[in-house]
Amino acid sequence: MTEKQERRTRFWERPLGELNAAEWEALCDGCGRCCLVKLEDEDSGELAFTNLACRYLDANKCRCRVYDNRFRKVPDCIQVTESIAAETDWLPTTCAYRLRARGQPLPAWHPLISGDPGSVHRAGIGVAGRVVSEQLVPEDDWEEHIIHWVD
């Protein structure tokens, strides 16, 4: 394999700005953590993750059920960009976009490294079986759902 072919094969090692659309999408590990409701402390600005998932997250598959229309269905759904990944805490510390935007390697459990889509869940990173739909909990009770297994 030539150096160019190997570099293309290991696309996730390139800067995010060099990825094509298919490579960008493939970088997602499918954990579902980005689809969790986050609460921001009004005084400190600190962000807290909850175990409440977007109404459109298939909590068993950790995939958005309306992915192609998510921005229309959920106006506050944030499109991940290189700058968001690099400059905000909105994405969990385990997120491949955040890691790569900050020059860090993908972890061993990431499906692109392990070759196994199930590795993310066996590593305890996926949200399957650990979340409930935001629709099932009144907004006044969301603070009671803050979790500490996502950072």
Side-chain angles (χ1 to χ4, degrees), residues 48-143:
F49 284 80
T50 70
N51 68 341
L52 303 172
C54 172
R55 69 189 71 210
Y56 296 111
L57 180 70
D58 179 326
N60 294 317
K61 297 178 182 176
C62 292
R63 295 288 182 205
C64 180
R65 290 189 299 256
V66 296
Y67 189 76
D68 290 337
N69 296 308
R70 65 194 183 281
F71 302 120
R72 189 170 47 81
K73 297 262 188 189
V74 184
D76 61 345
C77 181
I78 298 175
Q79 181 165 2
V80 178
T81 63
E82 186 174 5
S83 63
I84 285 174
E87 300 166 10
T88 71
D89 292 332
W90 175 80
L91 295 168
T93 58
T94 56
C95 177
Y97 298 106
R98 181 173 171 166
L99 291 169
R100 292 305 304 133
R102 298 171 189 205
Q104 298 173 326
L106 298 182
W109 52 258
H110 192 286
L112 290 172
I113 304 298
S114 70
D116 177 9
S119 61
V120 66
H121 302 289
R122 282 192 301 283
I125 303 300
V127 302
R130 302 166 85 178
V131 298
V132 296
S133 174
E134 66 183 337
Q135 290 184 298
L136 300 176
V137 178
E139 194 167 342
D140 288 345
D141 295 338
W142 285 7
E143 283 187 23

